[in-house]
Amino acid sequence: MRYEAYCLMDPDFYDTPSRLQEQGDDFYQAHCPVPDAWERSWLDDWVVLSPLGVELPPQGWKIHVSVALDHAQDVLTKVWDHCVSRRVAFKFLRSADRLLRANAQYADRGSSGEFITLHPADDTTLEAVLTELGALLRGRPGPYVLSDLRWGTGPLYVRYGGFVSRTCVSPDGEIVPAIADGAGRLVPDVRGPSFRVPEWVTPPRFLDPHLAARDSATVAELPYRIEGAVRLSNGGGLYTGHDTRTGRRVILKEARPYAGLSRDGTDAVTRQRREEEILRRLRGLDCVPGLLDHFVLGEHHFLVEEFIEGQTLDSLFVDQYPLVLPRAHVTHTGGYTSWALDMLDEVEQAVAAVHGRGVIIGDLHGDDMLVRPDGRVVLIDFEGAADAAERGRQRLAAPGLTAPAGRTGVDIDHFALACLRLSLFMPLTGLLELDPGKAEQLAEEAAREFPLPRGYFDEAVRVITGEDAGTTAGSASPRRLRPDHHGWLRARASMAAGILAAATPERDDRLFPGDVEQFTAPGGGLGLAHGAAGVLYALEAVGAARRPDHEEWLVRHALHPRPGTRLGLYDGLHGVAYVLDRLGHRDTAMKILDMCLGEPWQRLGLGLHGGLAGIGLNLQHFAAATGEPALGDAAFSVAGLVADRLASADRADEVLAAGLLRGWTGPALMFLRLYEYTGDPEFLDLAGTALRRDLRRCVVRDSGALEVDDGRRTLPYLGNGSAGIGLVLDDYLAHRADDRFCAAAAAMRTAAAGRFFIQPGLLTGMAGMILALSRPHPPGTAAVRDPVVAEHVRRLSRHALGYRGHLAFPGDQLLRLSTDLATGSAGVLLAVGSALHDRPVGLPFLAPTDRRSPPHGDSFPFPRGQGGGEPP
C-alpha cells in the first residue's frame, strides 16, 4: 500500500511525494515574513520555526496538533500566534496536500494525524502550552494520533521523544532514530500505533487525568468479543470476533474519523457510512455479506457484518497457479483452467446481481472476493461503491487496477472484470496502467500456456485498451528479448539507453530513478541496491556506456553524504566505495572508506545488505587492492564480531531473515572468502554453520523445489529466497563435500526453474533466477547450455516496457518503471549479461569464476599472522 504514495508525482517512475509541486497550495505561513528573532528552515515536507536564543534539550515531551483538512489554515494561524508570542519552537506541514497525504489510507499509522509539532523547552512550558492552546483549540476536529496521549478531547496530543536528529543501531542491526536512556546511552526512539512511555521517564503529574481517561475506553461492555486483526490501515482495521449473545462469528470493520483519507479528501467514516447504505440496499443477495450492526466506541465507528467462511480469490490463485511450478504439464494447466473459468463465471454473476440493484462496486479485485467452500463468490468491500445512475468516476482503486480516465458507471466494473479475466491466467495486469497495449501480448502469452477457447481474451483486450487507449510509459507494441548474441547486443544497447535517458543529474537525492527505498533513508539514492552505484556497476559490468558526468555525480554526493546515510554494502557507503574503486576512482573510494570506518559500525546487523558481512567483504577487497595491513586487521575484526554472534545466536535468540542479503548466508559468504585466502579451515567451518542456520528456514515444496519459508509464503528469490543461498552453497561445495548441501543446492536450482515470476527484478524476480542459473556456465554460454535460462530470458518479454523508445522494466509492485540494480532495468541488464555477455558478469564477491584462482580485486592476500591480524 505504501507504494501508492510514490506514484503521485510521476507517471513513469516512483518519486517522493515531497517533490509534488502544488500551485498555490502552501499555507500562508510557509512563506510569510518571519517575526523578529526567529528563523525559518525546511525539513522535507516540514516548515521549521525556531526562536533565536532559545536552547532546546535533545529530547522531551513534544506536542502534536491534529486537524481536519478544512480547519487547517485557521488552526495553523492560532498555533503560529501562540507559539510566536511565547517563543516556543514548532514545525508544520507546508501545504494542505501534504496534510492529506499524511492522513491518507496508505500513511504510517504511527505518525498519521500530526499537522503541527511543538517543542516546549521544559515541563513548565509544556503544561502552559497544553492548557492555554488546548482551551483555544478545544472542539476542533482532527484524526486521533495513535502514537500519542490525547490532551482532553483534542486536538492536542503529547509524546516523549527526540527533539534533535540522533541515530543508533537497533537490536536487529538497523540505523534508527534515537533518544538517550536513563544512563545516557542512545536507544531506539520507538514510535508505534499505540502510546508508550520509555521505562526511565516519569510523566508529569498534570498528565495523570489524561492517562486515566485513555485507559477508560475498553471493549468490555460490548456484546462482541474481538479475536484478532485481519488487516490494519491508517483508516482503521478489519477484525474477526464473536457475538457474545448468540455465539455467532462476525467481522468488525473499524473506521477512524478524519483518517484514511482518499484522494478527494473523504475519510474512513464517510466511506463506511456509504458502505453501510450500500449493504442495506443489497440486503438479501447471497453474494454480499449480511449487515448486522453499527456502533461507535471511543469515536471509532464499527460495522458488524456476517462472517463468511472461505478464502480470498487472490489467496486461492496463489495456491493453485501452475506456472510457478518448474515443470507444469497439461494436467496442471488443464485442471487450473477449469477452476479459473468457474471462478470467473461466479464473479461475473455476483457483479451482475449487484448491478441489478443499481450499484457499481468501483473497487473490484481478487483480495475483496471470498470464495466459499462450495465455490460461491461473495463480494466483501463496498467502500468505493456508488449508485450506477450517477455515472460517476472511480472513487477508490487498488494499485494497478485504476480504470482509465473517461470510464464511468458500470464501465469501471467492466474494466476490472476484463483485468481479472486476464490476470487469472497471466497476472501482470499491473503493467496495463503503464502500457495498456500490453494487454494483447499478455493475452497471447496466456493463450499459449493454457488450454483456452480460441479468442477467449478478445473482448477483455478490447475493454482494457478501448478506442482511445494510449500509453504513459512508451510504445504499446510488445518488446521481445532473444536469448542469443545478436539479441543480447540489441537488448544491452536499448536497456542502457533507457537507463541513461531516465537520469536526473540535476537532482541531489538521486541520479537514476528506482524503488521507493531511495527515499526512506538519507542517501538512499547513492547505494548499490537502489542508487547510482548499482546502476553504474551494472553498466560497467556488461560493457555498456560509461558517463564521466554520472560518475562525478556519485563522487560528489558520496564525499558529502547527508547525515544518517547508511554504511552497508548494498544500502550505503561501503557499496559506493566498492563501485567507485572498480570504476577507477580509488582515491575517492579510500576517502569514503575512511568515513565509514570512523562511524560506529560495530553494532550493525550481520547481513550482507547493510551489515557486518558486507562490510567485512568490502574491507577484504580494499586490503587486497591497497596492501594496507590496517584494512586487513579491520576485516579480521569484523569476522571476529560475526563469529562471536554466530556462536551465541542460539542463546541470544538472534534471528535473522533467511537468504543472501539479510540472512546467515551473507556471513557464510564472508567466511568462505576468508577461508579461500587464508587456508584456515576454521573459516570454512564457520561458513558451514552459518549456511545450516539458513537451511533450517527452508522447506521442500511438492514440486521438489527448496525455498525459504518466511512464515507467510515460500521464497525462491536471489535476495531473500533460496536462489541466493544456493550460490553460496555451490561455493562451499567447491571446497568441502556435504551430501545435505549438495541436495539442497540441486533443489534450489529446481526452485529457480519456475516458469513464472510476478516481478522481473534481480533480487525478487525473474532476473535473479537467470543470474543464479547462469553462474556455473562459461561466459556467454548459459542460454545455449541451459534451455531454462533461454526460456527465462524470453519470458522477461512479458514484463518489458518502453521508455522514450528504449527497453525498460517495471520495479517492485509493477506500478512504475525502475532503473536500479535491485528491482529495475540495471538488474535485468546484469542478469541477462550473466547469461549472454562474453565476459564474466555477476554480483560483487559472487563473480562466476573459479574460486581457486580468484580475479584481481576479489583476493585477500593476508594469511594468518601476516599483517591481517589473528582470525577468530
Side-chain angles (χ1 to χ4, degrees):
M1 184 178 282
R2 70 189 182 116
Y3 277 78
E4 185 177 347
Y6 294 88
C7 293
L8 301 176
M9 178 68 184
D10 190 295
D12 297 331
F13 298 103
Y14 295 120
D15 207 346
T16 173
S18 65
R19 287 181 57 84
L20 194 63
Q21 299 297 317
E22 300 88 357
Q23 298 298 320
D25 190 43
D26 281 358
F27 295 115
Y28 166 75
Q29 285 84 355
H31 305 285
C32 72
V34 179
D36 292 340
W38 283 75
E39 64 177 5
R40 176 168 46 211
S41 58
W42 304 82
L43 180 65
D44 299 324
D45 290 345
W46 297 87
V47 182
V48 182
L49 273 295
S50 304
L52 300 177
V54 175
E55 185 174 351
L56 292 177
Q59 61 195 52
W61 289 93
K62 57 178 68 176
I63 300 171
H64 291 123
V65 183
S66 171
V67 71
L69 283 174
D70 53 357
H71 291 255
Q73 180 61 77
D74 183 54
V75 167
L76 177 57
T77 298
K78 286 181 167 55
V79 173
W80 172 289
D81 292 344
H82 182 88
C83 289
V84 167
S85 65
R86 289 156 182 80
R87 298 184 61 73
V88 175
F90 67 104
K91 65 179 182 178
F92 60 90
L93 289 171
R94 63 178 287 178
S95 69
D97 182 80
R98 286 167 170 83
L99 177 60
L100 186 152
R101 285 187 275 110
N103 293 318
Q105 186 80 350
Y106 49 70
D108 175 41
R109 298 175 74 235
S111 59
S112 175
E114 298 173 8
F115 171 42
I116 309 172
T117 302
L118 285 64
H119 293 122
D122 50 46
D123 286 356
T124 300
T125 307
L126 172 70
E127 182 178 18
V129 171
L130 286 170
T131 302
E132 297 169 11
L133 193 57
L136 187 64
L137 299 179
R138 184 179 295 120
R140 297 299 183 119
Y144 201 108
V145 181
L146 296 174
S147 62
D148 289 21
L149 173 67
R150 191 178 195 176
W151 176 264
T153 58
L156 302 186
Y157 298 79
V158 292
R159 180 179 79 87
Y160 190 91
F163 285 6
V164 298
S165 178
R166 293 187 290 179
T167 61
C168 70
V169 179
S170 70
D172 59 1
E174 296 292 329
I175 298 176
V176 296
I179 54 176
D181 67 9
R185 298 167 301 196
L186 289 180
V187 296
D189 185 1
V190 178
R191 175 191 294 188
S194 60
F195 176 66
R196 64 179 294 277
V197 181
E199 59 184 17
W200 65 89
V201 174
T202 301
R205 295 294 299 274
F206 57 81
L207 293 181
D208 287 351
H210 308 279
L211 288 165
R214 173 184 176 274
D215 295 335
S216 64
T218 71
V219 297
E221 302 301 319
L222 291 177
Y224 303 103
R225 184 176 70 252
I226 297 176
E227 297 171 338
V230 178
R231 62 172 177 253
L232 298 169
S233 74
N234 187 40
L238 184 68
Y239 308 91
T240 57
H242 273 89
D243 187 325
T244 57
R245 298 162 297 188
T246 64
R248 182 179 186 178
R249 291 195 74 184
V250 294
I251 287 288
L252 298 98
K253 300 185 72 171
E254 175 195 25
R256 298 178 56 221
Y258 312 107
L261 303 181
S262 55
R263 295 185 186 182
D264 62 359
T266 302
D267 73 347
V269 171
T270 301
R271 292 196 302 275
Q272 189 188 80
R273 288 174 181 148
R274 181 189 302 151
E275 180 170 24
E276 182 178 7
E277 177 185 337
I278 291 294
L279 288 175
R280 295 185 188 281
R281 187 167 173 176
L282 299 176
R283 182 168 283 162
L285 294 180
D286 68 355
C287 60
V288 175
L291 176 64
L292 304 177
D293 194 5
H294 170 267
F295 65 88
V296 180
L297 177 67
E299 301 180 18
H300 292 209
H301 292 241
F302 289 83
L303 284 185
V304 184
E305 298 179 8
E306 171 192 7
F307 179 87
I308 304 296
E309 192 71 46
Q311 291 181 254
T312 67
L313 181 59
D314 277 356
S315 65
L316 287 171
F317 163 80
V318 169
D319 290 341
Q320 300 193 42
Y321 190 60
L323 295 192
V324 298
L325 300 174
R327 292 177 292 274
H329 49 73
V330 67
T331 57
H332 293 112
T333 56
Y336 174 82
T337 299
S338 297
W339 174 83
L341 293 178
D342 289 344
M343 287 296 98
L344 286 166
D345 286 344
E346 286 287 333
V347 172
E348 288 170 355
Q349 291 176 32
V351 173
V354 172
H355 286 179
R357 296 283 181 95
V359 172
I360 62 167
I361 301 163
D363 184 20
L364 187 63
H365 55 90
D367 203 37
D368 282 339
M369 301 171 186
L370 284 177
V371 181
R372 297 181 188 265
D374 62 5
R376 289 178 297 150
V377 169
V378 179
L379 308 175
I380 60 171
D381 189 352
F382 290 88
E383 284 191 13
D387 191 310
E390 297 175 2
R391 298 289 300 174
R393 297 183 63 182
Q394 193 169 28
R395 290 169 168 169
L396 291 174
L401 287 175
T402 303
R407 307 287 176 100
T408 60
V410 294
D411 288 343
I412 294 171
D413 289 348
H414 291 155
F415 176 83
L417 286 172
C419 290
L420 180 65
R421 174 172 290 225
L422 187 53
S423 69
L424 277 181
F425 295 97
M426 192 55 56
L428 297 174
T429 48
L431 300 174
L432 301 180
E433 195 168 327
L434 291 168
D435 185 350
K438 291 289 288 187
E440 184 174 357
Q441 181 191 0
L442 297 180
E444 291 174 0
E445 291 278 345
R448 186 179 301 116
E449 297 281 1
F450 295 93
L452 289 159
R454 185 178 179 85
Y456 178 75
F457 294 111
D458 289 353
E459 176 65 13
V461 170
R462 187 195 66 77
V463 171
I464 290 168
T465 57
E467 295 181 355
D468 58 348
T471 66
T472 59
S475 169
S477 61
R479 288 164 170 79
R480 312 287 184 180
L481 278 78
R482 290 170 37 195
D484 55 44
H485 184 66
H486 181 68
W488 159 240
L489 294 179
R490 290 185 57 190
R492 179 179 66 174
S494 187
M495 278 190 274
I499 291 169
L500 296 176
T504 55
E506 71 281 0
R507 291 178 58 160
D508 288 324
D509 58 342
R510 68 140 197 241
L511 176 57
F512 297 103
D515 190 71
V516 303
E517 287 295 323
Q518 291 185 326
F519 309 109
T520 59
L526 302 179
L528 191 60
H530 302 295
V535 175
L536 297 180
Y537 173 84
L539 291 170
E540 190 274 337
V542 301
R546 285 182 59 176
R547 289 278 298 271
D549 57 327
H550 291 164
E551 295 175 23
E552 174 55 34
W553 185 97
L554 183 57
V555 167
R556 185 170 67 254
H557 289 81
L559 285 175
H560 304 283
R562 290 180 58 191
T565 296
R566 293 175 178 172
L567 303 177
L569 182 64
Y570 278 84
D571 70 350
L573 293 174
H574 269 279
V576 174
Y578 178 88
V579 171
L580 286 176
D581 185 59
R582 182 180 176 116
L583 296 174
H585 302 278
R586 176 158 296 170
D587 288 346
T588 300
M590 293 300 295
K591 291 177 182 177
I592 296 169
L593 198 67
D594 286 342
M595 282 193 293
C596 292
L597 291 172
E599 295 292 326
W601 51 266
Q602 291 84 352
R603 290 184 56 214
L604 289 172
L606 299 178
L608 186 67
H609 185 268
L612 296 178
I615 290 172
L617 282 162
N618 201 43
L619 290 171
Q620 293 176 39
H621 162 78
F622 278 97
T626 65
E628 288 285 344
L631 294 178
D633 290 340
F636 277 128
S637 177
V638 173
L641 289 172
V642 177
D644 287 345
R645 286 161 71 173
L646 176 62
S648 63
D650 285 336
R651 294 192 300 274
D653 196 28
E654 181 167 15
V655 178
L656 301 182
L660 176 66
L661 292 185
R662 292 182 170 85
W664 284 106
T665 299
L669 177 63
M670 181 190 70
F671 290 132
L672 267 176
R673 297 298 172 252
L674 281 168
Y675 165 72
E676 288 164 349
Y677 304 118
T678 66
D680 189 330
E682 187 176 1
F683 287 123
L684 192 58
D685 294 342
L686 289 167
T689 299
L691 285 168
R692 279 185 282 273
R693 290 194 184 279
D694 265 3
L695 287 180
R696 293 177 193 169
R697 303 281 297 278
C698 296
V699 295
V700 179
R701 301 190 59 177
D702 292 342
S703 63
L706 188 67
E707 300 182 358
V708 169
D709 182 358
D710 76 346
R712 298 179 298 116
R713 53 186 177 162
T714 62
L715 304 172
Y717 303 117
L718 186 67
N720 59 353
S722 55
I725 301 173
L727 295 183
V728 182
L729 280 175
D730 286 341
D731 284 1
Y732 180 94
L733 290 166
H735 302 293
R736 179 181 288 172
D738 186 302
D739 290 343
R740 182 191 176 198
F741 283 8
C742 188
M748 288 171 174
R749 286 189 288 273
T750 298
R755 295 167 60 189
F756 181 86
F757 296 92
I758 195 71
Q759 297 179 153
L762 182 66
L763 297 185
T764 56
M766 175 76 80
M769 305 301 107
I770 294 172
L771 187 144
L773 294 171
S774 298
R775 188 168 179 252
H777 301 290
T781 68
V784 175
R785 290 167 170 254
D786 188 342
V788 173
V789 173
E791 280 302 308
H792 277 359
V793 173
R794 290 190 185 97
R795 290 175 184 139
L796 276 173
S797 301
R798 296 169 177 170
H799 296 88
L801 295 164
Y803 179 70
R804 297 186 181 177
H806 307 299
L807 188 60
F809 286 87
D812 279 4
Q813 308 301 313
L814 308 183
L815 301 175
R816 292 292 186 268
L817 300 176
S818 171
T819 66
D820 69 27
L821 183 72
T823 70
S825 294
V828 174
L829 178 66
L830 190 80
V832 178
S834 73
L836 298 170
H837 192 45
D838 56 7
R839 294 186 178 182
V841 174
L843 289 169
F845 312 112
L846 279 166
T849 180
D850 183 349
R851 300 309 309 178
R852 291 170 299 178
S853 179
H856 174 71
D858 275 357
S859 61
F860 186 57
F862 300 107
R864 180 171 181 152
Q866 296 183 24
E870 286 295 312

